[in-house]
Structures are given as structure tokens and as C-alpha cells.
Amino acid sequence: MAITLVNPGGLPEIDAYRQVSIASGSKLVHIAGQVAWDADGVTVGEGDLAAQVEQCYLNVGTALAAAGGSFGDVAKLAVYVVDWTPDKMPLLMEGITRAAGRLGVTPVPPATLLGVAALDVPEHLVEIEATAVLD
């Protein structure tokens, strides 16, 4: 793998992600923000944040595979959640956990979580983009 994930001393250890990714590969892959659409462009899990998070992660996994990579190659994630409040964290983590189970991975690259007012389609509650580095 071209990515090494670490939690350096002096920074808090976060269960959901690692603080630093060290990239040594030669192919940089940018995955556009993925929303809760299935392959036909139909929104999955309307009104259900956990279901939409799960679908977003699955879509990121599909995009990574198309580039010849996997979640092990992800250097950074950005997660955009509509009307974010901390009480939504259990639903976010539920969606990540379900996706991880379906993908057979534990996606823990550095991540940024941002609350936003809206996304491109009113039914979308979350969007996830990724940057990966492949050998």
C-alpha cells in the first residue's frame, strides 16, 4: 500500500480515523463527492442519515476500485453533512460501520467533517469525497 496511517504522539487518538496519512505512491486519485445514489441515480435511504452514509462509502469504494485502488489507498476523506449537530454522530458512525462490514475494511484515513446548509439535491443528507494515492 502507498499509504501509512499514524496517530503521532502529541495528538489525540481518535477511534474513527488516524490523524496523519503518509503517501509514498506515484498515482494521485481524486474521487468526486459521492452522495447516496445507487448505480441508476436513485437516492438510497431518503431521510435516513446512516443509510446515506453507508451508500456514500460504498460509492467511494466503487470509484476507488475503478481507479485500481481500495480504502487502504485513501489519504484523506472529507464528509459534508447537512444541518450537522453532534447528536448525529451515532448515525454517522452507524453508516460507516455498516459500510465497513460490507466492504470488508475499516476506513480510518484522516477525515474532515463539515456541517453544510444544503447539498445539490434536497434529499441528500451527506456527501463524501476522497483523495487516494496508489503505487
Side-chain angles (χ1 to χ4, degrees), residues 15-37:
D15 289 337
Y17 62 89
R18 302 299 174 261
Q19 294 280 13
V20 176
S21 67
I22 302 165
S24 61
S26 59
K27 183 177 177 182
L28 187 61
V29 179
H30 295 277
I31 307 293
Q34 296 298 303
V35 294
W37 275 332

Side-chain angles (χ1 to χ4, degrees), residues 9 16 23 31 46 52 54 61 94-95 99 121 132:
I31 307 293
E46 190 169 332
Q52 289 199 15
E54 179 181 10
E94 178 185 336
V121 175

Side-chain angles (χ1 to χ4, degrees), residues 1-4 21-28 72-73 75 132-135:
M1 293 287 171
I3 300 292
T4 302
S21 67
I22 302 165
S24 61
S26 59
K27 183 177 177 182
L28 187 61
D73 300 306
V133 179
L134 285 66
D135 287 324

